[in-house]
Amino acid sequence: MSKRVCGHAAEEGGTMSSLKQVFGYVAGVAAAIFLTWGASAGAQTVKIAAILPVTGANAAIGIGMMNSIELAVDQANKSGNLGGLRVELVKLDDAATPSVGVSAALKAASDPSVIAAIAHWSSGVALATNDIFHRHGLVNLVPAAVHHKITLEKGYAEIFRITPHDLKQMRFAAEVTVKVRGHKRIFVLDDNTTYGKSLATNFVRYASEMVGKEVIVGTDSISVGEKDFTAVLTRVKALAPDLLFFGGVVTEAGLIRSQMVKLGVQAGFQSGSGVYSETFLKVAGPAAEGVVLTALEPPIDQLPGGSDFIQAYREAGYGKPFESYGIFAYASAQVVLEAIRRAGPDRRAIIEAMKRGTFDTAIGRVSFDQNGDNNLNILYAYEVKGGKFVPFYWAK
Amino acid sequence: MLAQQVVNVLILGSMYSLMAVGFTLYFGILNVINLSHGAVYMIGPFAALVFTRGAAELPIFAGPLVATLGMFGVAMVFAGGVGIAIEFVCFRPLRRAPALVVLISSLGMYIVVAEGVLNFFPDGANPQVFPDPFLQQNLFLGQVVITHAQILLGTLSFVLICGTYLFVSRTRYGRAIRALSADRDAAEMMGIDIDQTVRMTFLVGSALGAAGGVMEGMNYGSVMFNMGFNAAIKGFTAAVIGGLGNVYGAMAGGFLLAAVEVLASAYIPGGSQYKNVIAFALLIGVLVFRPSGLLSRS
């Protein structure tokens, strides 16, 4: 069949100039919006930026976190307890994609009225934006991303984190696997993301240190967005492991677990905090039974501010659930708002306030070590029983 | 283990093929790469989902076979309609525009539909559980495990693929589509109604894409607003491997792509992470050595 490659040179010329016109209009409108927006910000109003994945595959988690932050900001504004300041929340999307996150972080950091940020669920994005926050001297309290390098690699004073990092979680997970549950043959799979790879690598490292290398019978990676894992799982079946450990997040975990059951793979399934979500129970259905997960929280009603948070969130009438990281986002906002109250609207002073202070939040009393990591290390292991997460072991 | 992998290839391949046929049809008649095909692929199973949630209580859907066929029917009809609407909104006004403009317009349409489902479908941001009318019953043939749903899905896609073959090769519309893709001006001079043929193509392509989407949902147990993106990439790749514009090539390309992916994951140690590398290396190889596709005569 012969194909005509489009040959509309003349028309293309016309399109180009009209495109330019369109760009001109867009730029003009954008500038106008920007100017009015800047002018309307009164002297008493300061801004904090929340940068989370509110579109894309992980939008459910991002939206839940965004709502939770908004809830905390609304509560603080209503209480009038912010030292005469009014806080405005700037909501930005990082789509869980580093390039999008970088431009969002740049936008937030280069706006002088933004005095603090709560940014990123995805580790890959948080690693990519670290430098921006450092360069602009803007504090970022990471509400969910767990990769250890976010706080440990560069030692930036601007970067804090509310959740325990993945090295702590994986030491705990390996302990649960080989000591508490006594698994002997483990296949390790990861989703080839910054988060998943780090989980898998460190799980292998700690498990090998605890009982020897031979406990790992094989490793492999899958890619995010794929749905068919039968090929690699058929190979796993032939190796006959007694546990499949997966470094990855909810969607793929649900698919892998249900395909394991379909293919008759007789191994248990374990994963980390990125899978601890009601969505996993829903997607995996009956196949979720017996799955073990490590998570960064006790059952939410056991947290000091858990029940209050659930009730306030319900009353605020958000259409979408707060998901597993909602309460961390909420607690992060509480820390940042309290630091703003203590330090006033100054980026540098807020960092100092966070470094030194202790903060009472919904997840407990938060303070930060010299790396910016939370001194509060909550680590829980859950097993799915009767379609529910049942805690069976936790860090002392 | 090989037998199981063959089953895996057949299931995956039929999904890729159903998707690839749409891409190849659109390219054949309009010379465009229609990225909104991914949105149609996703909207089909969501229509089926609404249908099953509404109709689950009706006695007529007690049998799994009827339920499955009902889901496919609803998805294909609905998506066919959406396909025609998309053609009207984002292709017809651009019939004489450069291909790049049409490509961007179709990408915009994909984003609008996908984000629309995210925002307006109840709990649309999360994966939705997709029912398996056969309740995940398995059939064991020695070492090989195959679900009842997979048997039906395989049969159904075989029927659809044969049906498409007959449609394209034997019917008046099929002839019109082929005539249009061979030489648009000549076809128009011979009295072929271009608008109607294009509409028909979108109807068929969209219905097949939606069937692929329902297969994906039923086979993997969940659907999500962004499922069309990956499907579009894979379907498009399969279509290019087979030769864009060549319907039979698209079908073969789907199975070939699935075979390469599955074999790479199965027999190369740690190969699962490289399966896309290998699959796209195949694509590059085809583009370099047989740019008109594996099944082209030239």
Side-chain angles (χ1 to χ4, degrees):
Chain A
M1 281 176 222
S2 73
K3 285 278 144 278
R4 267 187 319 138
V5 182
C6 73
H8 303 279
E11 281 175 34
E12 266 171 12
T15 321
M16 282 301 281
S17 66
S18 60
L19 264 185
K20 266 183 202 159
Q21 264 181 344
V22 172
F23 277 128
Y25 288 131
V26 172
V29 171
I33 291 173
F34 187 74
L35 287 177
T36 26
W37 180 51
S40 71
Q44 294 297 89
T45 303
V46 293
K47 293 180 189 156
I48 61 178
I51 312 175
L52 294 162
V54 291
T55 63
N58 304 297
I61 293 170
I63 292 168
M65 293 174 74
M66 192 63 93
N67 290 343
S68 307
I69 293 173
E70 191 179 60
L71 178 64
V73 170
D74 286 350
Q75 285 175 338
N77 278 332
K78 240 178 244 161
S79 74
N81 195 17
L82 285 169
L85 295 170
R86 205 187 143 67
V87 173
E88 185 186 317
L89 181 65
V90 182
K91 298 178 183 179
L92 296 167
D93 182 19
D94 68 21
T97 307
S99 56
V100 183
V102 163
S103 59
L106 266 175
K107 188 174 171 204
S110 44
D111 177 352
S113 61
V114 171
I115 54 170
I118 300 166
H120 312 314
W121 165 81
S122 151
S123 289
V125 183
L127 285 168
T129 61
N130 258 356
D131 289 339
I132 297 171
F133 290 111
H134 172 62
R135 226 169 27 228
H136 289 81
L138 179 65
V139 70
N140 178 23
L141 176 52
V142 180
V146 298
H147 198 292
H148 54 279
K149 282 190 178 167
I150 296 168
T151 47
L152 298 187
E153 188 182 39
K154 289 180 174 156
Y156 291 149
E158 292 81 5
I159 310 296
F160 296 84
R161 165 164 45 196
I162 201 115
T163 47
H165 61 63
D166 57 1
L167 295 183
K168 294 177 187 169
Q169 188 190 157
M170 284 305 103
R171 193 183 299 125
F172 174 72
E175 189 183 314
V176 168
T177 313
V178 299
K179 295 196 177 146
V180 181
R181 314 274 298 184
H183 287 290
K184 303 265 181 317
R185 294 175 60 78
I186 307 169
F187 190 95
V188 179
L189 198 59
D190 67 67
D191 68 358
N192 234 344
T193 62
T194 318
Y195 165 80
K197 265 251 168 316
S198 178
L199 240 61
T201 319
N202 291 300
F203 178 85
V204 168
R205 194 180 103 203
Y206 288 122
S208 308
E209 274 173 21
M210 284 173 197
V211 287
K213 274 198 184 84
E214 61 285 353
V215 73
I216 307 295
V217 296
T219 59
D220 208 336
S221 305
I222 53 131
S223 15
V224 171
E226 297 276 336
K227 279 203 142 175
D228 195 301
F229 308 114
T230 49
V232 67
L233 291 175
T234 304
R235 196 160 74 80
V236 169
K237 188 182 178 185
L239 287 167
D242 59 10
L243 181 80
L244 188 141
F245 180 90
F246 175 58
V249 295
V250 179
T251 313
E252 284 75 25
L255 289 166
I256 290 173
R257 182 56 190 164
S258 44
Q259 287 173 35
M260 276 172 80
V261 172
K262 263 189 201 167
L263 285 171
V265 182
Q266 300 290 337
F269 183 87
Q270 184 179 336
S271 189
S273 53
V275 179
Y276 178 69
S277 154
E278 295 292 322
T279 307
F280 173 73
L281 298 179
K282 225 170 61 181
V283 175
E289 213 54 28
V291 164
V292 169
L293 299 175
T294 48
L296 314 175
E297 58 195 294
I300 188 163
D301 49 5
Q302 288 179 24
L303 286 168
S307 315
D308 289 346
F309 168 70
I310 295 174
Q311 201 188 341
Y313 192 93
R314 195 182 304 130
E315 281 167 7
Y318 294 111
K320 305 221 153 95
F322 53 81
E323 297 281 340
S324 36
Y325 284 100
I327 192 147
F328 292 107
Y330 182 76
S332 304
Q334 287 181 315
V335 170
V336 167
L337 290 163
E338 176 60 18
I340 291 173
R341 191 186 70 79
R342 288 179 196 168
D346 178 73
R347 288 185 178 183
R348 206 32 67 191
I350 293 169
I351 295 172
E352 288 306 315
M354 283 185 56
K355 233 190 245 171
R356 290 207 210 92
T358 308
F359 304 86
D360 281 317
T361 71
I363 63 164
R365 180 156 291 187
V366 172
S367 62
F368 300 97
D369 66 15
Q370 74 280 8
N371 300 315
D373 271 310
N374 192 346
N375 287 315
L376 190 66
N377 287 310
I378 312 176
L379 288 164
Y380 267 69
Y382 290 87
E383 183 178 351
V384 180
K385 280 186 185 157
K388 287 204 174 73
F389 291 116
V390 180
F392 65 91
Y393 188 73
W394 43 90
K396 304 282 173 332
Chain B
M1 187 168 142
L2 179 63
Q4 179 73 57
Q5 299 291 15
V6 170
V7 172
N8 298 343
V9 169
L10 288 178
I11 297 292
L12 192 61
S14 36
M15 277 182 277
Y16 288 172
S17 293
L18 288 173
M19 191 66 178
V21 169
F23 276 108
T24 224
L25 282 175
Y26 302 137
F27 190 82
I29 60 157
L30 290 175
N31 268 316
V32 295
I33 294 161
N34 174 12
L35 293 175
S36 71
H37 196 42
V40 171
Y41 177 91
M42 175 271 296
I43 208 82
F46 272 88
L49 201 59
V50 172
F51 166 73
T52 48
R53 284 180 187 174
E57 304 304 319
L58 297 180
I60 188 174
F61 291 105
L65 188 66
V66 185
T68 311
L69 293 178
M71 285 157 84
F72 270 92
V74 168
M76 290 172 73
V77 169
F78 184 77
V82 171
I84 291 176
I86 288 179
E87 194 272 328
F88 189 76
V89 174
C90 96
F91 289 90
R92 182 155 321 167
L94 299 173
R95 199 66 66 75
R96 301 260 163 227
L100 190 60
V101 173
V102 186
L103 178 79
I104 291 169
S105 158
S106 74
L107 176 63
M109 182 53 88
Y110 169 79
I111 294 172
V112 166
V113 176
E115 296 290 313
V117 169
L118 186 162
N119 285 308
F120 298 115
F121 197 82
D123 193 24
N126 271 318
Q128 303 291 316
V129 178
F130 200 86
D132 174 357
F134 295 90
L135 305 170
Q136 314 216 337
Q137 294 176 72
N138 286 332
L139 196 67
F140 292 90
L141 306 166
Q143 286 289 305
V144 181
V145 189
I146 182 164
T147 64
H148 290 192
Q150 283 174 332
I151 297 172
L152 182 69
L153 295 175
T155 318
L156 215 52
S157 69
F158 181 73
V159 170
L160 286 171
I161 287 172
C162 291
T164 311
Y165 174 82
L166 290 176
F167 174 81
V168 172
S169 62
R170 301 285 160 83
T171 65
R172 236 182 107 224
Y173 281 119
R175 256 200 308 280
I177 290 173
R178 279 182 296 143
L180 202 56
S181 64
D183 188 331
R184 175 145 147 196
D185 295 334
E188 199 164 6
M189 278 187 276
M190 294 298 144
I192 288 176
D193 183 341
I194 304 279
D195 282 347
Q196 200 185 16
T197 310
V198 170
R199 249 196 319 269
M200 185 51 105
T201 310
F202 270 82
L203 178 72
V204 172
S206 302
L208 290 176
V214 175
M215 272 190 80
E216 177 178 324
M218 217 173 270
N219 192 31
Y220 303 131
S222 66
V223 293
M224 196 166 168
F225 70 93
N226 66 348
M227 66 192 281
F229 185 75
N230 202 48
I233 291 179
K234 292 294 163 68
F236 179 65
T237 307
V240 172
I241 289 174
L244 267 176
N246 183 335
V247 175
Y248 317 126
M251 293 173 187
F255 285 101
L256 184 63
L257 181 64
V260 169
E261 287 189 354
V262 167
L263 294 179
S265 316
Y267 294 104
I268 302 173
S272 185
Q273 56 185 315
Y274 299 115
K275 77 172 182 188
N276 283 333
V277 176
I278 295 165
F280 288 105
L282 169 74
L283 175 68
I284 293 170
V286 168
L287 287 173
V288 170
F289 295 107
R290 280 190 78 93
S292 49
L294 286 180
L295 285 202
S296 66
R297 279 180 217 97
S298 55

